[in-house]
Amino acid sequence: MSVFDKVKSIIVEQLGVEEADVNMEASFIEDLGADSLDIVELVMALEEEFDLVIPDEDAEKIRTVGEAVKYIQDHQ
Amino acid sequence: MPEQRAAITGLGTYVPEKILTNAELEKMVDTSDEWITTRTGIRERRIAAPGEATSDLAREAARRALADAGVEAREIDLIIVATNTPDMLFPATACLLQESLGAERAGAFDLLAGCTGFIYALVTGGQFIAAGGAQTVLAVGAETLSRIVNWRDRNTCVLFGDGAGAAVLRAAPAGYGLLASRLGAHGAGGPLLCLPAGGSRRPACRETVEQDLHFVHMNGREVFKFAVKTMEEGTRGVMEDAGLSVADIDFLIPHQANIRIIDAAVKRLGLAPERVLVNVDRYGNTSTASIPLALQEARQAGRIKDGDNVVLVGFGAGLTWAAAAVRWFDARRPE
């Protein structure tokens, strides 16, 4: 499974959205209806899935699905 | 001989009369009922009356706990007050409580472990009973957080409330009481949730007052992550120690800080929501008082019965976390 596919399945699970809505350009807040705490939970799920630590200052800069995928690829 | 376990043989709670609703907060800071409710689950909180201090709340809760247990104040051997908002830096609030209760025989000290304090106090008191150092312990969680929140900071002032809870601990009948406990701390996270000034590092002065350093400071996102992780791990830890599976847990009493933290932790544990007590909507985060307030509510509603396996779990400033597994003893159960 690609990083994107894994990220997508986590987003679908955490945010309760449709797979079709999760594309690289989608913004967590504007397009996927997340609030700040949903994003914290999402970051926790990504940290566990990819065995990463995403510091708060980095997490704040991740606004779209594509930014999350890129962050994970850059830090693996 | 097996170790003597401690049981809670009486509980008492007290909250101030004044209710502060989200609608009232909308008039004080730039916030909305909708924002507070969806982010925290809190609808209202209690605020201590002017002149009402933490030891006053503690006294009312303690008197009710003693009456519930059928214990006289002079029978108490030890008073432990867990609080983040003592009446003053010293003497200990526990000593003020000893005096107002008339608990002449009791030793008394305060315990500081953030919002986790009540579980720390319960476990500490349980150790005195297990070791034979005390027969009757009064463990209290009491707070007047309204006195240390910045009422101009919309991120924190909506979260907290005032209240108190007290538990009388005595030797448990065989098979009952405190089955297992785990205490933890992550000191590196200290700056994430603190009251920066007024201690020896930054004594109170004009600058500390002007810079709002006598109020609660919190990084909510980082505390959220710590809370969800440790609530799950702590609960699993005491389940393992006590030989309990998820199916064996009759009731979970989590620290009431935020419904989103509780929901996230409960989901990870795979516990059914009807086995979890939530009252953060009515009291907000009352720190050390939250677990006894929730426990009492569950008990009075008949949701916790004699012999039930109950897990208490919390987290807080320190950072600290703790969990305790208890086989509930109902002192008034039919023989």
Side-chain angles (χ1 to χ4, degrees), chain B residues 7-178:
Chain B
I8 295 173
T9 65
L11 262 180
T13 58
Y14 173 78
V15 290
E17 274 177 40
K18 183 181 164 43
I19 294 171
L20 181 67
T21 65
N22 290 352
E24 290 168 277
L25 276 166
E26 286 176 349
K27 295 174 197 152
M28 297 164 63
V29 286
D30 182 15
T31 190
S32 71
D33 175 47
E34 191 269 339
W35 192 95
I36 300 171
T37 308
T38 56
R39 261 47 159 220
T40 71
I42 301 166
R43 296 181 183 279
E44 59 187 47
R45 65 290 287 148
R46 300 299 180 108
I47 304 293
E52 196 174 31
T54 295
S55 68
D56 299 322
L57 274 56
R59 183 183 64 245
E60 291 310 311
R63 282 183 179 157
R64 292 172 188 184
L66 291 171
D68 185 41
V71 166
E72 301 288 333
R74 62 178 176 278
E75 295 177 76
I76 304 169
D77 299 307
L78 179 65
I79 299 173
I80 308 173
V81 174
T83 185
N84 300 276
T85 49
D87 285 24
M88 49 193 126
L89 270 177
F90 69 86
T93 301
C95 293
L96 304 174
L97 181 60
Q98 184 223 14
E99 157 66 14
S100 64
L101 289 176
E104 301 126 17
R105 292 180 49 249
F109 64 89
D110 284 2
L111 187 157
L112 183 57
C115 298
T116 322
F118 182 78
I119 302 179
Y120 267 68
L122 195 65
V123 172
T124 305
Q127 295 291 322
F128 274 90
I129 287 168
Q135 264 106 54
T136 305
V137 177
L138 181 68
V140 181
E143 302 286 358
T144 45
L145 295 161
S146 61
R147 303 279 156 70
I148 61 162
V149 299
N150 183 349
W151 290 101
R152 296 184 304 277
D153 177 6
R154 64 176 180 170
N155 291 315
T156 53
C157 78
V158 303
L159 302 175
F160 299 102
D162 300 337
V168 175
L169 309 181
R170 281 190 156 172
Y176 288 94
L178 191 58

Side-chain angles (χ1 to χ4, degrees), chain B residues 280-303:
Chain B
V280 69
D281 52 322
R282 278 160 288 134
Y283 300 114
N285 180 349
T286 57
S287 189
T288 59
S290 94
I291 296 224
L293 281 171
L295 192 55
Q296 179 74 316
E297 189 166 318
R299 179 175 169 244
Q300 288 180 336
R303 296 174 76 181

Side-chain angles (χ1 to χ4, degrees), chain B residues 315-330:
Chain B
F315 60 91
L319 299 173
T320 57
W321 63 267
V326 174
R327 185 153 299 129
W328 188 255
F329 170 63
D330 180 353

Side-chain angles (χ1 to χ4, degrees), chain A residues 11-52:
Chain A
I11 292 169
V12 166
E13 155 79 18
Q14 286 288 332
L15 301 182
V17 293
E18 297 296 325
E19 267 191 45
D21 295 331
V22 184
N23 55 62
M24 290 290 272
E25 286 72 42
S27 155
F28 294 116
I29 291 174
E30 271 110 60
D31 302 318
L32 301 176
D35 70 17
S36 56
L37 294 178
D38 289 321
I39 294 178
V40 177
E41 272 194 75
L42 187 62
V43 165
M44 290 178 71
L46 294 173
E47 287 179 328
E48 283 158 21
E49 173 67 31
F50 295 100
D51 197 19
L52 285 174

